[in-house]
Amino acid sequence: MNILEGKAVFEGIAIGKIAVFKKAEKLVRREKITDIENEINRYAQARETAVNQLRALYDKALKEVGEANAEIFEAHELMVEDGDYIDSVENIIRTQSVNAEYAVAQTGDSFSKMFLEMDDEYFRGRATDIKDITERIINALVGGTDGSMDSDEPVIVVADDLAPSETVQMDKDKILSFVTVHGSVNSHTSILAKTMNIPAVISCDISLEDDMNGKMAIVDGFQGKVYIEPDKEILKEKREILSREQEKRELLLKLKGKKNITIDGQKINIYANIGNIKDLAMVIKNDAGGIGLFRSEFIYLESEDYPTEDYQFEIYKEVATAMAGKKVIIRTLDIGADKQADYFNLPKEENPAMGLRAIRICLTRPEIFKTQIRALLRASAFGKISIMYPMIISVDEVREIKAIVEEVKAELDKDSIPYDRNIEQGVMIETPAAVMMAPELAKEVDFFSVGTNDLTQYTLAIDRQNQNLDKFYNPHHPAILRMLKMIVDGAHSAGAWAGICGELGSDLSLTKEFLAMGYDELSVSPGRILPLRKQVIETDVSEYKKQKEQLKLKKEAHKC
Ligand code: PEP
Ligand code: MG
């Protein structure tokens, strides 16, 4: 048995086999080889694996998202089998006596460059497809998974780190847990683990070698430990914890249908954060009062090209319909920084977190924004949709956004397309500028939702993705707590409501404080809803305020 330590980002126990997820691009090295025919053969086998994966993906997509969206996998299959591409790879292997991985990477680079240089926009867009199939073939060559998880049984996914664009491809039903070598507590892998309600350990020095595949392991998301090939005693001990956890979950299920109301009668809405339409099942299972944050950028990350208005409309409509009149807050796309989609062709930046991201892209490229707003407004005729704008820093921005929304509404009116005329609009408060402008911003919108992940990053000047800074990343910092009070007071001063949709919203040690501050809503990962409801039901806010006041008086008396 081998015991490894890391940082726990979601509690729980997972027991199962390991599947190593490898990033293709990092593994490609130029190696001299002597057995050319063997290398050509390896390439042929990798092509076959890639084709099989693509066929499976086609079938899956056909069932889940329909023929039009599944076609991309057929197109990729044709590219894998393309004669020119194959000739180029084989030619490089033969003439340079190099490994197949290198030959594929070289070919992928030159073919995608060739497409990028074409005048026709359609062909330029195909460069992304070439990169995609190139990565798939390299993955097949190095023996890593492609994220679609070949295994029939659920597995513990072990990876260097996972980008949002990689996690979106994964078949979530087949993931028991995540273990990553890198990643920070606020990365999207952590958020995904929380959404999926599965244990995860990051910053763990685990091997990514092929021989790890299929090994039995235990992930302990309470202690941040990973046991590789555990002995019988540990297995017994962890199985017992697992069954106790399951019992606790069953108990929490009894809170379904109960109101989120404190002992002294204060109400709060508890909503769910989602990134994908597939998360809806968890939202309903955990009895969310609504959706407080739908990270719509995942629709863009999952797509090969800009998602069309109709495609988006169908998704938003499905969410609104499934929530049957409950509030669904959809955040407009928050692309940029750690969430990159190749086809946006965003410039490389020194400081992406402070760069062209989120609303800044939308206001720079309004045609993309208008497409999304049209889809959202159209879908608002089918349920209770609210629109939320990320990364706001000024009142002027909000006015510019509202003018665009009015333009879109006028277009819809002209075409007699129905939409909710009173659709709620709100902003995320995730920059210190927005906090300082809260009273003015509140006059412009219906609600605020605090993005504590980014607000902490921008207030403490700490990159949320940088694992070396986790020990400084303190969302309980008094500056953040003071800001949270300013935000809710700012909202209420102009009759807007305020919620928190960042990870801090599910921090049970702060629930009393949020209630005392007067927050109207907390939006958390679906798996956190019932524990949070329990905490609310057990809180007496007036008693808590009294205790706080007494403590303050005591401290003051002590000073004198
Ligand atoms: C946040 O910043 O707190 C937030 C909810 O948005 P995201 O984590 O998607 O950046
Ligand atoms: Mg954010």
Side-chain angles (χ1 to χ4, degrees), residues 188 191 293 295 297 331 334 339 357 428 430 450-454 464 501-503:
H188 279 273
I191 293 174
L293 168 65
R295 290 181 160 96
E297 59 274 12
R331 171 172 81 184
D334 188 9
K339 290 177 249 172
R357 62 172 290 196
M428 291 199 65
E430 45 189 352
V450 191
T452 49
N453 310 336
D454 277 317
R464 66 190 260 197
C501 64
E503 291 308 299

Side-chain angles (χ1 to χ4, degrees), residues 61-271:
L62 193 63
K63 273 192 229 125
E64 289 178 3
V65 284
E67 191 171 355
N69 295 303
E71 272 167 9
I72 185 70
F73 299 114
E74 256 181 354
H76 279 195
E77 186 184 328
L78 290 177
M79 286 183 179
V80 172
E81 304 281 33
D82 178 71
D84 290 340
Y85 190 100
I86 296 176
D87 286 349
S88 165
V89 176
E90 293 191 347
N91 193 31
I92 294 174
I93 296 176
R94 287 188 199 284
T95 55
Q96 301 182 29
S97 303
V98 286
N99 53 327
E101 290 86 338
Y102 179 77
V104 172
Q106 286 293 99
T107 302
D109 271 358
S110 54
F111 274 55
S112 62
K113 231 178 250 150
M114 189 174 77
F115 276 111
L116 274 178
E117 279 160 12
M118 289 185 180
D119 288 335
D120 187 298
E121 197 175 329
Y122 173 82
F123 284 114
R124 277 203 306 277
R126 302 291 62 77
T128 316
D129 297 320
I130 292 285
K131 276 192 204 151
D132 208 324
I133 63 125
T134 301
E135 277 183 21
R136 187 174 293 286
I137 302 171
I138 295 173
N139 252 340
L141 278 164
V142 297
T145 71
D146 67 332
S148 61
M149 239 67 76
D150 292 338
S151 156
D152 282 339
E153 57 184 316
V155 288
I156 294 169
V157 176
V158 170
D160 180 55
D161 192 8
L162 291 164
S165 56
E166 289 163 337
T167 55
V168 291
Q169 293 184 41
M170 293 181 171
D171 185 346
K172 312 290 186 297
D173 295 337
K174 291 196 183 154
I175 304 172
L176 290 172
S177 167
F178 291 117
V179 179
T180 60
V181 178
H182 295 105
S184 73
V185 284
N186 284 290
S187 63
H188 279 273
T189 307
S190 310
I191 293 174
L192 181 68
K194 289 174 195 168
T195 305
M196 291 171 63
N197 222 0
I198 58 171
V201 171
I202 59 165
S203 292
C204 178
D205 193 13
I206 192 165
S207 158
L208 301 174
E209 295 302 320
D210 287 349
D211 64 355
M212 292 293 281
N213 274 315
K215 275 193 183 165
M216 189 68 193
I218 300 174
V219 179
D220 183 336
F222 296 102
Q223 297 184 334
K225 286 190 179 159
V226 182
Y227 301 80
I228 316 284
E229 299 190 314
D231 59 34
K232 273 191 194 147
E233 271 157 48
I234 284 287
L235 208 52
K236 187 167 170 268
E237 182 195 320
K238 301 295 174 187
R239 280 208 176 112
E240 278 167 13
I241 301 179
L242 187 60
S243 81
R244 280 205 298 276
E245 279 306 300
Q246 273 156 356
E247 275 166 28
K248 263 197 219 159
R249 276 188 200 168
E250 305 273 303
L251 272 180
L252 279 175
L253 288 181
K254 296 214 166 105
L255 294 180
K256 278 173 80 165
K258 295 246 164 27
K259 290 209 167 90
N260 311 309
I261 187 159
T262 63
I263 294 173
D264 53 333
Q266 187 171 323
K267 286 189 196 139
I268 189 159
N269 289 319
I270 303 185
Y271 293 168

